[in-house]
């Protein structure tokens, strides 16, 4: 463990402070690459224009033509939170824009696997659809798209995952990561891509005279489609143009899916998330989102990105892991508060079950991982574990836990539960900085043809399927790639911090200010580091697995807690910590959430 203070460019911090940014925020923003106050403008007018996305004009024309001809549209979703929110945004948005026949279908994690398969294409055709729209998947679905086309379906692929060597032969593809796309935000989530398609579709319908934008607010600077407006008429109907519909209510779902998918929060993604948070805090959200806040015991008026990533997102994801993601999508689609409350309660119950399963699997997987090396040795450069009793729905979460504990790229495998696939293992992996997981899988596939039956993903998260008899070969091959790519520095866990925290900022209102900002992947939440004096420490919690600490920080006493940590600390220690507020009997006191210690 090494605690490293981020470089804080003094000129940038000074410029931000002179422009009116709070001194602490100025320092934090400067350390994250912000150089001028206008970069912090989260207004809709600052969003990148949809026109920058390759294929988006063709997608808009395809959908506008389909709506004019009253064709049936079917969205093929994915079974995670990004896929669920993208589906809900697509269904809600298309209906807002006048589509009268919008259906959706969610693959089953166990029986269907990931993406648009040939069997799913056939199921879409059997439903009587004319147009198949993928969200958060499809860029690697060459066979599935071919089958859909052979069945006479038009296909629009909207995705954000990295493409393989061959693109599917869809009628239109919108993906910022497809070859030839110059869109600046390569990190947009699947839900963001679908939202942009709707912006382009509305602009196309406006150009065709379906909508009249004159009654709406003018278009945001740099955007080709304004977000203001009113209710539409049916696309393709005759008569005077109607005021264009508002799409900004969808931003609550865009924000949720973006944070839950742990994509990099670049400037454009931060604006999307900020806009969604503002609406939620103002009470403007779908009934299902409000119900999820209640089920999770969170307060919407003070919503944060933390709520998206650790409260709402996991409850939606749980449906795809253990049950049917239709539950999650229906929760996001319903406008009935009672129905939303029922669905949110069901999702909360499934999430509790997921936590129980995960807990047992995590302990077993960690024991298996630690058996790969002696106590006085370093872990291998990459870790792969498999147990026949593992549940394939939570292998990704468990891989993430092991990765966090051992700081190694980690894959966890479970036996496939799909009919006729008992000999296959489904694995989910999580990585560390400096090790591009999908590229590593690609290299394993090239060096050992046939070992990987399928694979895909991102730099930090990926999935793959291997034959059970090939597991040992995969384990050794992945470790070999890690040996070649990772040096000692990369294999040493580093916590980047914002350095010391002035005692005057240890106030509850300052913590509230920090929590209101948009933090996340690639724009890390504030973490500070200082040498402190440890006065006392004890284990707390039902399992006595959290360390409660009383500290002296710059001469002032303060409480701290280190979750899931049981080893005692020395009297003086360099800690990395985040700020939080502990509320007890109406009193709000600042506490430190310990992230790590350099001993």
């Amino acid at each position: 463990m090494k605690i490293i203070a981020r470089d804080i460019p003094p000129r940038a911090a000074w410029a931000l402070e002179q422009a009116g940014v709070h001194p602490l925020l100025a320092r934090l923003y400067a350390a994250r690459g912000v150089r001028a106050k206008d970069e912090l403008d989260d207004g809709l007018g600052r969003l990148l224009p949809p026109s920058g996305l390759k294929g988006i004009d063709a997608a808009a024309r395809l959908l506008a033509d389909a709506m004019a001809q009253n064709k049936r549209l079917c969205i093929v979703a994915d079974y995670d939170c990004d896929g669920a929110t993208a589906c809900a945004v697509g269904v809600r948005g298309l209906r807002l824009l006048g589509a009268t026949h919008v259906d959706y279908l969610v693959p089953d994690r166990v029986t269907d696997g990931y993406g648009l398969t040939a069997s799913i294409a056939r199921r879409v055709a059997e439903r009587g659809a004319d147009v198949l729209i993928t969200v958060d998947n499809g860029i690697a679905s060459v066979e599935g798209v071919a089958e859909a086309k052979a069945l006479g379906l038009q296909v629009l692929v909207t995705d954000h995952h990295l493409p393989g060597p061959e693109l599917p032969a869809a009628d239109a593809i919108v993906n910022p990561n497809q070859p030839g796309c110059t869109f600046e935000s390569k990190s947009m989530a699947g839900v963001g891509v679908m939202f942009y398609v709707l912006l382009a579709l509305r602009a196309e319908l406006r150009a065709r005279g379906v909508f009249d934008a004159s009654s709406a607010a003018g278009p945001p600077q740099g955007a080709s489609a304004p977000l203001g407006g009113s209710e539409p008429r049916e696309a393709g109907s005759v008569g005077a143009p109607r005021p264009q519909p508002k799409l900004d209510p969808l931003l609550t779902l865009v924000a949720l899916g973006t944070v839950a998918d742990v994509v990099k929060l670049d400037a454009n993604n931060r604006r999307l998330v900020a806009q969604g948070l503002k609406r939620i805090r103002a009470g403007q959200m779908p009934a299902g989102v409000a119900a999820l806040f209640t089920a999770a015991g969170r307060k919407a008026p003070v919503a944060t990105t933390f709520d998206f990533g650790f409260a709402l997102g996991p409850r939606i994801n749980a449906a795809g892991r253990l049950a049917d993601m239709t539950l999650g999508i229906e929760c996001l689609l319903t406008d009935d508060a009672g129905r939303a409350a029922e669905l949110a309660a069901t999702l909360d119950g499934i999430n509790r079950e997921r936590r129980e399963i995960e807990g047992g699997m995590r302990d077993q997987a960690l024991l298996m991982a630690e058996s790969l090396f002696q106590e006085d040795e370093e872990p291998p450069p990459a870790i792969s574990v498999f147990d026949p009793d593992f549940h394939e729905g939570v292998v990704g979460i468990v891989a993430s836990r092991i990765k966090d504990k051992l700081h190694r790229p980690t894959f966890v495998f479970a036996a496939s539960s799909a009919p006729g696939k008992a000999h296959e293992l489904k694995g989910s992996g999580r990585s560390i900085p400096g090790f591009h997981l999908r590229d590593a899988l690609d290299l394993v596939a090239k060096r050992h043809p046939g070992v990987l039956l399928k694979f895909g993903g991102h730099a930090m998260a990926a999935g793959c399927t291997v034959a059970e008899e090939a597991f040992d070969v995969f384990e050794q091959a992945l470790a070999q790639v890690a040996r070649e790519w990772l040096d000692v520095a990369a294999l040493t866990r580093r916590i980047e911090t914002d350095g010391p925290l002035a005692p005057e900022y240890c106030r509850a209102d300052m913590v509230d200010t920090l929590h209101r900002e948009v933090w996340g992947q690639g724009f890390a939440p504030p973490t500070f580091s200082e040498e402190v004096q440890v006065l006392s420490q004890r284990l707390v919690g039902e399992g006595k697995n959290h360390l409660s600490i009383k500290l002296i920080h710059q001469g002032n006493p303060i409480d701290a807690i280190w979750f899931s940590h049981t080893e005692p600390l020395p009297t003086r220690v360099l800690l990395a910590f985040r700020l939080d507020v502990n509320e007890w009997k109406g009193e709000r006191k600042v506490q430190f959430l310990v992230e790590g210690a350099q001993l």
Side-chain angles (χ1 to χ4, degrees):
M1 166 74 68
K2 195 167 186 179
I3 295 175
I4 307 292
R6 294 184 180 90
D7 178 46
I8 303 173
R11 287 176 181 261
W14 180 85
L16 289 170
E17 190 172 342
Q18 291 300 303
V21 178
H22 186 282
L24 178 58
L25 287 174
R27 172 180 146 198
L28 298 173
Y29 284 137
R32 287 155 180 76
V34 177
R35 295 294 177 265
K37 187 178 180 180
D38 66 341
E39 296 177 45
L40 301 174
D41 182 356
D42 58 16
L44 293 171
R46 295 281 295 182
L47 288 175
L48 294 171
S51 58
L53 278 163
K54 180 181 178 181
I56 201 163
D57 291 336
R61 289 192 298 270
L62 185 158
L63 291 174
D65 289 344
M67 290 162 63
Q69 298 165 35
N70 209 25
K71 289 185 176 180
R72 295 180 176 274
L73 313 176
C74 183
I75 296 174
V76 174
D78 186 27
Y79 39 69
D80 68 357
C81 187
D82 185 19
T85 52
C87 181
V89 163
V91 171
R92 283 183 174 273
L94 288 167
R95 289 174 179 169
L96 275 171
L97 294 174
T100 53
H101 302 291
V102 186
D103 192 11
Y104 73 90
L105 185 152
V106 192
D108 182 272
R109 181 187 292 269
V110 174
T111 59
D112 295 316
Y114 173 77
L116 172 62
T117 62
S119 62
I120 293 173
R122 290 190 288 271
R123 282 159 58 188
V124 171
E126 289 167 1
R127 290 190 175 195
D130 304 299
V131 180
L132 187 158
I133 306 163
T134 71
V135 291
D136 193 32
N137 74 92
I139 195 65
S141 302
V142 175
E143 294 179 3
V145 171
E147 179 69 10
K149 295 293 293 178
L151 293 168
L153 294 167
Q154 289 181 289
V155 181
L156 164 60
V157 168
T158 76
D159 200 354
H160 70 124
H161 293 92
L162 298 174
E166 180 183 358
L167 292 179
D171 294 276
I173 298 176
V174 184
N175 181 339
N177 290 302
Q178 68 175 305
C181 184
T182 59
F183 193 68
E184 186 179 333
S185 179
K186 299 296 183 184
S187 301
M188 194 154 57
V191 66
V193 176
M194 188 63 220
F195 179 71
Y196 263 72
V197 168
L198 293 172
L199 290 178
L201 171 59
R202 190 179 58 178
E204 176 68 19
L205 294 173
R206 189 170 65 246
R208 295 185 183 198
V210 176
F211 300 133
D212 176 13
S214 61
S215 63
Q221 182 181 358
S224 62
L227 295 186
S230 183
E231 292 303 313
R233 65 187 171 106
E234 290 186 10
S237 61
V238 295
R242 294 286 301 277
Q244 65 181 357
K246 292 183 178 181
L247 294 178
D248 58 303
L250 302 175
L251 287 165
T252 56
L253 299 176
V254 176
L256 170 57
T258 297
V259 174
D261 210 44
V262 203
V263 295
K264 179 182 178 183
L265 291 187
D266 58 21
N268 205 60
N269 279 340
R270 291 202 308 277
R271 290 181 181 114
L272 291 170
V273 172
Q275 288 291 329
L277 278 174
K278 285 180 179 179
R279 285 160 176 78
I280 288 173
R281 290 167 183 165
Q284 302 165 4
M285 69 194 103
V289 174
L292 285 168
F293 267 96
T294 300
R298 303 282 179 169
K299 299 176 181 178
V302 290
T304 68
T305 51
F306 184 90
D307 294 323
F308 289 157
F310 295 93
L312 276 66
R315 282 165 172 78
I316 295 173
N317 277 328
R321 296 184 188 283
L322 301 185
D324 180 358
M325 184 49 90
T326 302
L327 291 168
I329 294 173
E330 284 299 310
C331 184
L332 300 176
L333 285 177
T334 185
D335 292 318
D336 183 297
R339 174 69 173 149
E342 291 176 5
L343 289 166
T346 300
L347 292 171
D348 185 61
I350 297 171
N351 190 52
R352 293 177 190 277
E353 180 186 357
R354 185 272 303 171
R355 284 202 296 259
E356 291 178 8
I357 294 172
E358 177 202 334
M361 267 183 63
R362 181 187 62 240
D363 294 344
Q364 176 64 16
L366 190 57
L367 284 173
M368 295 173 70
E370 290 175 338
S371 72
L372 299 174
F373 58 97
Q374 298 298 321
E375 188 173 346
D376 58 345
E377 295 178 340
E378 286 293 311
I383 291 170
S384 302
V385 296
F386 159 65
D387 188 282
D389 294 329
F390 283 173
H391 192 297
E392 64 184 278
V394 295
V395 287
I397 300 176
V398 175
S400 181
R401 302 291 189 257
I402 296 176
K403 181 267 299 182
D404 290 342
K405 176 81 172 178
L406 300 180
H407 192 68
R408 294 293 187 270
T410 301
F411 265 91
V412 176
F413 287 85
S416 173
S417 303
K421 303 286 187 179
H423 65 291
E424 293 182 0
L425 305 182
K426 287 187 176 181
S428 187
R430 299 295 183 269
S431 196
I432 62 176
F435 193 77
H436 195 297
L437 211 51
R438 189 210 170 271
D439 287 356
L441 292 177
D442 187 50
L443 185 53
V444 169
K446 289 172 180 174
R447 288 179 174 178
H448 303 273
V451 167
L452 286 172
L453 303 179
K454 64 174 75 170
F455 68 91
H458 300 291
M460 303 303 287
C464 66
T465 302
V466 303
E468 184 170 357
E469 61 270 19
F471 172 76
D472 290 342
V473 176
F474 172 84
E475 180 182 20
Q476 295 167 17
L478 184 70
Q480 180 58 36
V481 175
R483 281 188 205 95
E484 297 167 9
W485 289 6
L486 296 171
D487 57 18
V488 173
L491 290 171
T492 301
R493 187 186 176 204
R494 297 157 55 99
I495 297 182
E496 285 194 326
T497 77
D498 298 289
L501 177 70
E504 62 263 29
Y505 296 140
C506 288
R507 308 190 316 266
D509 65 315
M510 192 70 240
V511 178
D512 294 340
T513 297
L514 294 178
H515 283 181
R516 280 194 294 270
E517 302 302 307
V518 175
W519 313 104
Q521 183 70 23
F523 205 78
T527 303
F528 304 96
S529 58
E530 276 182 84
E531 185 175 288
V532 296
Q533 179 183 351
V534 177
L535 295 179
S536 65
Q537 51 192 314
R538 61 190 179 92
L539 294 177
V540 297
E542 289 185 15
K544 298 294 183 183
N545 58 342
H546 309 309
L547 189 63
S548 176
I549 316 160
K550 292 190 178 296
L551 306 172
I552 294 293
H553 168 255
Q554 296 201 17
N556 299 313
I558 198 160
D559 292 338
I561 188 161
W562 193 346
F563 291 111
S564 301
H565 183 88
T566 57
E567 297 297 319
L569 294 172
T571 304
R572 297 200 66 83
V573 63
L574 178 62
L575 287 186
F577 57 90
R578 293 186 292 112
L579 295 179
D580 196 22
V581 174
N582 185 30
E583 297 190 30
W584 177 251
K585 295 184 177 180
E587 185 180 6
R588 304 178 77 235
K589 294 178 60 176
V590 174
Q591 70 172 355
F592 291 171
L593 302 181
V594 180
E595 295 285 297
Q598 184 173 307
L599 304 176

